């Protein structure tokens, strides 16, 4: 069973109730209703979206999940190449600041009845895994938590990690190399569910190594905290929607999903960054150019389906089952 969660999209009017340092270039923020009202519940792995000044929306994983929350707790690292989000949080928010927040959504659900879970976080990617570790610990489930950082000075959320007896820290510099993903995956029980959140390269290695170790895709869970390095398609092409009976041009820089929606055709989606699988569509004809992190290499080669939020076309025309 997965602790799936969908949310309303009506923003909550909250305020920053506290800010505290949380390690290298990172702050911990508590967001609460000014009158102390209960907040919509959050399942382990869920995130909220902050509606920041200047029309910037940013997703941040919740460090604490639960059905009876009076605060959302998030950690925000100042990104050296910030596109505006982390700088707006670090420089613009102070205790008492008003902030619009979209309620929790969960694109990284925890399988709550797994016999064993292995949680691997890199850097700020540790945040959703802390909420999972808390849930697993509270419910007496077997799990391991691995937190990988470049060095001890790069350690984040040390007090939170201290509270998890199962947590193991890895420092690249002290260990003489990156976190041993392959060995950790190989050592996990065969029926374990594996989770990873961290830099894109780490997640891509995690997926490849878990598959190479013979793990079932259903047991491999991951969440990017930024879109995968591959972006939306660059060139223009045509999509024919077989069920709707229309043909649409997809211009450079637009996703198929955007074009289809603009034409009034309903299409499912969730993450809109190629990581959840919600926008998968069957390909009837043509060659997709896959940019998602959902389909296996074999599925991508076969090209029978594609994620229309991020993938494009190698052929001039695609015929889709839409
Ligand atoms: S909406 Fe998540 S993969 Fe496309």
């Amino acid at each position: 069973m997965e602790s799936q969660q969908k949310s309303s999209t009506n923003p909550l009017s909250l305020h920053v109730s506290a800010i505290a340092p949380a390690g290298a270039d990172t702050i911990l923020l508590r967001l609460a209703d000014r009158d102390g009202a209960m907040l919509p519940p959050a399942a382990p792995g869920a995130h909220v979206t902050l509606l920041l000044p200047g029309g910037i929306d940013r997703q941040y994983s919740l460090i604490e999940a639960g059905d009876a929350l009076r605060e959302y707790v998030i950690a925000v690292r100042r990104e050296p190449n910030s596109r505006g989000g982390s700088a707006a949080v670090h420089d613009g928010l102070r205790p008492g600041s008003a902030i619009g927040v979209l309620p929790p959504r969960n694109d990284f659900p925890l399988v709550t009845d797994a016999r064993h879970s292995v949680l691997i976080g890199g850097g700020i990617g540790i945040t959703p895994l802390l909420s999972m570790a808390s849930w697993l610990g509270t419910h007496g489930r077997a799990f391991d938590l691995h937190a990988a950082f470049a060095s001890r000075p790069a350690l984040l959320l040390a007090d939170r990690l201290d509270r998890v007896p199962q947590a193991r820290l890895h420092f690249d510099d002290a260990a003489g190399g990156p976190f041993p993903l392959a060995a950790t995956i190989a050592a996990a029980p065969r029926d374990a569910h594996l989770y990873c959140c961290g830099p894109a390269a780490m997640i891509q290695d995690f997926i490849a190594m878990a598959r190479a170790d013979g793990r079932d895709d259903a047991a491999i869970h991951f969440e990017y905290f930024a879109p995968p390095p591959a972006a939306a398609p660059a060139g223009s092409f045509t999509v024919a929607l077989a069920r709707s009976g229309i043909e649409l041009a997809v211009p450079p820089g637009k996703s198929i999903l955007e074009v289809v929606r603009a034409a009034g055709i309903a299409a499912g989606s969730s993450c809109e960054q190629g990581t959840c699988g919600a926008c998968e569509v069957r390909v009837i004809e043509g060659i997709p150019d896959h940019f998602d992190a959902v389909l296996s290499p074999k599925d991508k080669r076969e090209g029978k389906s594609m994620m229309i939020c991020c993938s494009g076309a190698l052929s001039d025309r695609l015929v889709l089952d839409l």
Side-chain angles (χ1 to χ4, degrees):
M1 176 181 62
E2 290 190 345
S3 51
Q4 286 281 9
Q5 179 181 353
K6 295 293 172 198
S7 74
S8 125
T9 51
N10 292 333
L12 306 164
S13 298
L14 304 184
H15 79 294
V16 178
S17 51
I19 299 180
D25 290 328
T26 300
I27 51 176
L28 189 92
L29 292 100
R30 295 177 177 276
L31 312 173
D33 181 89
R34 279 192 195 277
D35 299 323
M38 298 295 286
L39 302 178
H47 66 265
V48 289
T49 300
L50 303 197
L51 306 177
L52 296 162
I56 300 171
D57 301 353
R58 288 291 181 273
Q59 283 87 39
Y60 295 102
S61 296
L62 294 171
I63 293 174
E64 295 171 4
D67 292 331
L69 296 173
R70 288 193 193 277
E71 287 181 324
Y72 292 142
V73 183
I74 60 171
V76 181
R77 196 174 95 96
R78 184 190 287 277
E79 297 300 336
N81 300 315
S82 171
R83 289 172 294 135
S86 69
V89 172
H90 277 252
D91 300 333
L93 296 183
R94 296 288 175 263
S97 297
I99 176 85
V101 178
L102 294 183
R105 196 171 94 169
N106 200 353
D107 297 327
F108 192 32
L110 179 69
V111 177
T112 52
D113 55 2
R115 199 176 66 79
H116 194 99
S117 303
V118 177
L119 317 176
I120 303 169
I124 191 72
I126 196 67
T127 49
L129 304 174
L130 283 168
S131 74
M132 293 181 176
S134 173
W135 190 96
L136 292 165
T138 302
H139 291 81
R141 300 300 170 91
F143 73 99
D144 304 309
L145 174 64
H146 300 277
F149 301 96
S151 62
R152 187 164 282 280
L155 173 63
L156 307 176
L157 299 160
D159 58 330
R160 301 268 165 170
L161 288 164
D162 269 355
R163 290 182 218 161
V164 183
Q166 293 87 341
R168 298 285 173 271
L169 302 183
H170 169 97
F171 300 107
D172 294 354
D173 60 349
F179 180 77
L181 277 170
T184 304
I185 292 166
R190 295 310 301 175
D191 57 354
H193 278 256
L194 312 175
Y195 299 80
C196 184
C197 184
M202 181 187 198
I203 293 179
Q204 286 165 343
D205 287 348
F206 165 78
I207 297 166
M209 289 174 185
R211 285 177 176 155
D213 191 59
R215 304 287 170 160
D216 193 284
D217 276 354
I220 303 171
H221 311 271
F222 52 90
E223 183 170 67
Y224 291 89
F225 55 81
S236 61
F237 54 95
T238 300
V239 282
L241 308 184
R243 275 188 278 143
S244 312
I246 59 170
E247 196 148 319
L248 301 166
V250 182
K254 288 273 179 201
S255 69
I256 298 175
L257 181 66
E258 288 173 300
V259 169
V260 163
R261 285 207 175 132
I265 309 289
S269 76
S270 180
C271 71
E272 300 192 7
Q273 58 179 27
T275 61
C276 74
C279 66
E280 183 170 4
V281 169
R282 193 166 72 85
V283 177
I284 297 169
E285 209 180 289
I287 307 169
D289 192 9
H290 300 284
F291 285 98
D292 67 278
V294 177
L295 295 173
S296 68
K298 178 171 170 285
D299 290 338
K300 287 182 179 173
R301 272 195 307 277
E302 289 178 355
K304 290 180 182 160
S305 72
M306 67 186 296
M307 303 304 148
I308 61 169
C309 69
C310 63
S311 296
L314 292 173
S315 51
D316 291 341
R317 185 169 179 270
L318 291 173
V319 182
L320 301 179
D321 185 19
L322 261 178

